[in-house]
Structures are given as structure tokens and as C-alpha cells.
Amino acid sequence: MPTDRVVGVLAVQGDVREHLAALAECDVVARPVRRPDEIAEIDALVVPGGESTTIDKLTRAFDLREPILDRLKSGMPAYGSCAGMILLADRVVDAISGQQTFGGIDMTVRRNAFGRRVESFEQDLAFDGVPGLPVRAVFIRAPWVEQVGDLVEVLATVADGPAAGRIVAVRQGNLLATSFHPEITGDTRVHRLFVEMVRSAG
């Protein structure tokens, strides 16, 4: 039975359907968010993978930016994957001119750090807070985290290869972010971790 928790997925661009499907398996009500008034009706927000600059422009064009900022400042839980990680970062390296983020996580993120789409890859990651087997992470034109503040908890880093040691999953308070796309693997454990955060936030 779904709980009364309502988790919105920002539905202006990106992997919206995949996140909705993953959340639906986690016993919450999952719904797309496209209008400013819908921000007030959710308990938490997922910012999906896609193109961070496009999502930024569209949230401003659709008057979603300010309602989202207000809710984040008041403690609403949020989870960002890939482009969503960039949008939850306080600082972005290689941002385009005029690009804005929602912020909230005291970290510096580098856009497209892992290279172009043809350089996409998968890797198994040890992920703090996710029980069981390693998490299969899919990186597609993904960012990585170059620096975190004292209040940021590092949950996962790349194990080996050219990017060994790079931070790819973090949490600060009610905010969670990953460089990769758990919504496309069929493994809902990262989403379940987020849902636990939402329930704990009351």
C-alpha cells in the first residue's frame, strides 16, 4: 500500500518516467511536477538526469525556480541524479554563462567530467547506506564532485580506472545526489534510501 508521502519528479526534461517508475516501487505516491502550484503539494522532489542547463532554463521559464528554492530552504528533501546533482550543487565548474543551480549541497561539481556520451560507462560501487551487493552505476556524460564542505557525507567514490577516487554520491541533510543514473538499472535501492530520508524528515 502506498504511504501518504508524495514525491514529485521535476518533469521539464530528462529521465522523468524512469524515476516515477522506480519511486512507485518504493511505496510512495510519485507524480510529475510541471507547474508552480504543484510544488506545494509534494513532500519531496527528484531532479532527474538530463541536461542541467536546459532544466535550469525551463524551470525559470515555467516559474518553478522560486517555489523550488523556497521549499528547499524550508527543508524539503530532494534527490538529484546526474544533471540533478549539478542543480543541487552550490558551485559548478565549467558552467555555461548565466547557468544557475538550486544549490543546497556544499560541493563543487564539474559538468561532463567523465567525458562525452560515447565515453559513458558502468561500474559497481560500494555505496554507504545501501545494503547488499554493490550498486551498478551507469555514468552518461556525468559530473563528478571535486570538493565538499564539512557537512557533506561522501557516500560513494569511483573504485578504479582513470577516475579512481572521484566522488560520485553525496548527502547533506535532506539532500541526496548521485553522478549516475540508478533509475535506469532496475535497482531501486538508491530510491529506497531517498524514500527513507523523506519519511525521516516527517
Side-chain angles (χ1 to χ4, degrees):
M1 291 285 294
T3 72
D4 59 353
R5 293 285 184 260
V6 179
V7 180
V9 178
L10 185 61
V12 295
Q13 194 254 353
D15 296 340
V16 177
R17 287 178 299 177
E18 292 86 349
H19 276 293
L20 289 170
L23 289 165
E25 295 186 35
C26 298
D27 298 327
V28 293
V29 177
R31 63 176 59 156
V33 171
R34 298 185 180 91
R35 299 192 306 271
D37 60 329
E38 293 172 332
I39 299 298
E41 300 170 354
I42 59 175
D43 297 301
L45 180 69
V46 171
V47 184
E51 173 50 56
S52 62
T53 55
T54 300
I55 295 173
D56 168 39
K57 290 175 182 176
L58 291 174
T59 54
R60 285 186 272 163
F62 298 155
D63 296 323
L64 287 159
R65 177 176 170 79
E66 292 305 322
I68 291 172
L69 288 176
D70 289 345
R71 290 296 310 278
L72 292 176
K73 289 174 183 175
S74 69
M76 178 181 68
Y79 165 48
S81 65
C82 197
M85 169 182 265
I86 295 169
L87 285 155
L88 292 179
D90 284 348
R91 299 169 298 279
V92 181
V93 178
D94 288 346
I96 68 167
S97 177
Q99 182 174 358
Q100 299 181 40
T101 70
F102 303 133
I105 301 179
D106 182 8
M107 63 179 174
T108 302
V109 169
R110 181 176 292 275
R111 292 176 65 242
N112 300 331
F114 286 100
R116 299 168 298 168
R117 182 173 290 272
V118 294
E119 297 168 294
S120 301
F121 70 101
E122 299 182 20
Q123 186 176 104
D124 290 332
L125 300 177
F127 194 117
D128 288 349
V130 173
L133 295 171
V135 172
R136 188 65 173 175
V138 179
F139 296 90
I140 304 171
R141 292 183 63 210
W144 65 43
V145 180
E146 299 209 332
Q147 179 271 336
V148 297
D150 293 339
L151 298 179
V152 178
E153 180 182 2
V154 175
L155 301 179
T157 58
V158 176
D160 50 45
R166 292 294 186 181
I167 299 169
V168 292
V170 296
R171 176 179 179 179
Q172 181 175 343
N174 287 333
L175 304 180
L176 176 70
T178 62
S179 298
F180 52 90
H181 294 266
E183 71 276 9
I184 65 176
T185 65
D187 183 348
T188 61
R189 288 178 295 163
V190 174
H191 288 82
R192 291 185 184 280
L193 171 64
F194 179 57
V195 168
E196 290 174 9
M197 292 169 55
V198 176
R199 291 183 176 133
S200 297

